[in-house]
Amino acid sequence: MIVFDKCFHGILRHFKFGSGLEMIPVSTDMVDKNKMKVIGNVKSDENGTGKDKDSLYNSPMPSISDTPPTEQPELVNKKLRQCCVLFDFMDAVSELKGKEIKRASLNELVDYITTGRGVLSEDLYPEIVHMVACNIFRTLPPSDNPEFDPEEDDPTLEASWPHIQIVYEFFLRFLEVPDFKPSVAKRHIDQKFVLQLLELFDSEDPRERDFLKTVLHRIYGKFLGLRAFIRKQINHIFLRFIYETEHFNGIGELLEILGSIINGFALPLKGEHKQFLIKVLIPLHKAKALGLYHAQLAYCVVQFLEKDATLTEPVVKGLLKYWPKTCSQKEVMFLGEIEEILDVIEPSQFQKIQEPLAKQLSKCVASPHFQVAERALYFWNNEYILSLMEENITVIMSIMFPSLYRISKEHWNQTIIALVYNVLKTFMELNNKLFDELTANYKSERQKEKKKEKERDELWKKLSKLEVNHLSVQRTTAGEGMKA
């Protein structure tokens, strides 16, 4: 059985989707009538003629390599149109011959565009883009598992991958051909095409998302006029993920693309780029699925800070704002990202964030979860971070010391206690006088706290005695009343 992509875009090819997913009519001149005729005829075959199916698949075409060079362009056109027909891969045993012929044709097209020189004529551009669109643009199926967890469950793999994979390879080779002309291709690879491409990033199949990542990156590099549009649409996907759905499979891949894009930003950074960092990238940290894309997100953030050091303060304060309260795994991720930021921070910027950062570190060091405490204490193994603390030792030690000293006496994990002793030893070596003062102050405060606790306990005991005496008086009075 032959399945046609959205009834060959019978409806959707006449619409494009706005940012709010509203359907906007597009002009009919975007539809190539010849291409419609080819697929339309094949579609009519489902109604019983069998003629066009025979002409496309049962009548063998010669190999491109065995055809004279003068006849190759026409044969390539035929094979491109042949490859527009889609098959039902949910039925593993149907149309095996047609599936194999299409696979062979796709491989031929890949070889033709890779090894040939000067084979990319202008009339091939619309045919190629159309064939790619027919094969990859589709409605993604709902997940087989409604409670799908990307971190634990296996993804649903695309059934038609044996064909789609080769289509992606062919499209990549097409974009990378030395004589590729963006000025010609931009008439066919337009905003509508990019929107449909971005929708596919929600595919559960990681193989497809990996191809999409490379394809979109190539398009971004070659089509200057689409760059702002691509960034804007990625922005919309992120905002929808953060504030509406909290579900989109391709966040990590899109962040990988952005990491490369940010690396190429010119200085000074534009206001829109800074706003994107603060309003989009930082709030991405609060999602439950942070673990799926945190490495790529942290890379993007650090790229911004390497471009513009003045962004350090709002970034660190933003991370502290979204610091996890109940998820130790996310806390460990945040600590890792903070260390990456401190590795590239300038001393002048460190002074602006040292107090709130030290307060958060003292909480992490005191965490009952040993992995959080351990990750925070590893900061003192970083020589550059240690040098930053040394320059601001009075502020850092004053905030951190009480937590460290208390943990050294009370923490349940011996590994943490050993690490705390090393940190205290480092502090003592950096400023022995201040260390002694803080130790004396801590002990004095602890004595005051113990005294208050003792007074509180004594007060509660007195209150308990008064309550007992009051109850006994009530009982005595009640007994005398009954006798009277």
Side-chain angles (χ1 to χ4, degrees), residues 104-123:
S105 295
L106 285 168
N107 280 322
E108 272 193 82
L109 291 169
V110 170
D111 292 339
Y112 175 76
I113 206 165
T114 304
T115 59
R117 291 290 177 267
V119 297
L120 204 55
S121 59
E122 288 193 16
D123 60 337

Side-chain angles (χ1 to χ4, degrees), residues 172 174-178 180-183 216-227:
L172 272 176
F174 166 66
L175 292 171
E176 294 168 353
V177 166
F180 179 82
K181 297 177 181 177
S183 58
L216 187 62
H217 193 265
R218 295 290 182 274
I219 290 174
Y220 187 91
K222 290 184 179 293
F223 297 87
L224 303 184
L226 288 174
R227 289 185 176 184

